[in-house]
Amino acid sequence: MNKLISIFFAGLFLAWIPAFALDLNAVFDNQKKAAFPDTCEMQMRTTVTLPGQLPQQVQTTIITAGEGKSVTTIKSSMMQMKMVQNDGRMKVIDLKSGKVLPSQNMPSPKPTDINKQMGSPDDYSTPVAEGNLWKLTPKDASKPTLYYSQKQRRVVKMKMVVNGTNAESSFEYCDNSCDLPGTLKKVVIKSSILQGGESNVVLEILNAKQRHVLPSKMFDVE
């Protein structure tokens, strides 16, 4: 009798586990919904602190308009410049002197394309619970470790090694008060530096719209 009861509860336990297991495909399907629209305005602050030195800060604003078009303005104590990109062509303007460098072919960066860094369900082992999050460990060390919130249905933290240093990213998403709920709102990236300091990058989305067109003159690279 006791043996039958043990078999019954063992079977019940095995049936109960899948109901609470995390489906990797669902994780990545939900994360796709956080993909940022192709037209937005964002601000990025990069602060680098080295031992015995004052923190150095770089302020960057980026406006994107559809695939392959962006205007990036970078300001720091050492430089002030604007980069205009249009379908693989880039023009650089020195804001202090007004000098314009010849346009050149350059890839178009996508600073909010975090999904590409995360890979796909096939890149990860079975998720395990860690605190109130699910930890997704990559099969290949070149991929990041992800931490997924089942409540938010989004990846809220990511850890990876970049050029021999540890980098940890945390993500915030728009709530229902935003025009585009569930999309990326803020990214904070903290990295250690081999020389003993640290780098802190804060990327905030100021404005986001589901539209594809801004004045074409804004993206003139000739």
Side-chain angles (χ1 to χ4, degrees):
M1 183 68 176
N2 289 337
K3 185 176 181 180
L4 288 174
I5 293 175
S6 298
I7 294 173
F8 171 78
F9 278 106
L12 184 64
F13 178 73
L14 290 173
W16 175 79
I17 290 177
F20 289 87
L22 185 66
D23 182 357
L24 278 171
N25 289 312
V27 169
F28 284 86
D29 286 343
N30 288 333
Q31 196 62 34
K32 288 177 184 176
K33 300 172 186 176
F36 216 74
D38 61 7
T39 298
C40 65
E41 179 183 0
M42 65 194 83
Q43 176 177 278
M44 184 165 61
R45 296 187 306 277
T46 303
T47 304
V48 177
T49 304
L50 295 175
Q53 299 183 27
L54 293 175
Q56 299 292 319
Q57 189 172 87
V58 178
Q59 186 86 15
T60 305
T61 58
I62 307 168
I63 297 175
T64 63
E67 185 70 25
K69 293 183 180 180
S70 66
V71 177
T72 303
T73 304
I74 302 174
K75 293 184 178 182
S76 71
S77 58
M78 299 181 66
M79 65 176 178
Q80 294 188 23
M81 60 187 297
K82 178 185 288 187
M83 296 181 295
V84 181
Q85 291 189 299
N86 191 331
D87 296 330
R89 299 280 290 168
M90 183 175 74
K91 177 175 69 176
V92 179
I93 305 168
D94 185 327
L95 296 177
K96 288 185 176 181
S97 66
K99 184 178 179 180
V100 179
L101 300 179
S103 60
Q104 53 187 307
N105 294 318
M106 293 289 289
S108 298
K110 296 182 179 180
T112 57
D113 190 7
I114 61 172
N115 291 348
K116 190 172 182 180
Q117 300 177 42
M118 295 180 184
S120 68
D122 293 336
D123 295 321
Y124 292 87
S125 304
T126 302
V128 296
E130 186 170 297
N132 61 346
L133 301 174
W134 287 93
K135 181 180 179 180
L136 283 65
T137 302
K139 298 174 183 177
D140 184 337
S142 65
K143 293 288 184 182
T145 299
L146 308 179
Y147 296 82
Y148 181 82
S149 168
Q150 201 155 19
K151 181 179 179 180
Q152 296 186 46
R153 301 177 68 186
R154 295 289 185 272
V155 172
V156 295
K157 187 166 62 173
M158 181 172 76
K159 294 182 179 180
M160 64 187 304
V161 178
V162 180
N163 297 326
T165 65
N166 296 317
E168 180 175 323
S169 304
S170 58
F171 308 109
E172 294 181 18
Y173 301 90
C174 286
D175 56 23
N176 291 330
S177 64
C178 295
D179 291 335
L180 301 171
T183 54
L184 192 64
K185 179 181 180 181
K186 183 177 181 179
V187 182
V188 177
I189 306 171
K190 295 183 178 181
S191 307
S192 58
I193 298 177
L194 294 176
Q195 295 91 328
E198 64 177 16
S199 169
N200 188 41
V201 179
V202 179
L203 173 66
E204 294 182 273
I205 309 306
L206 305 179
N207 190 25
K209 298 292 182 184
Q210 288 178 323
R211 52 180 174 158
H212 300 268
V213 179
L214 284 176
S216 58
K217 188 176 181 180
M218 181 184 296
F219 306 97
D220 183 12
V221 295
E222 299 302 330

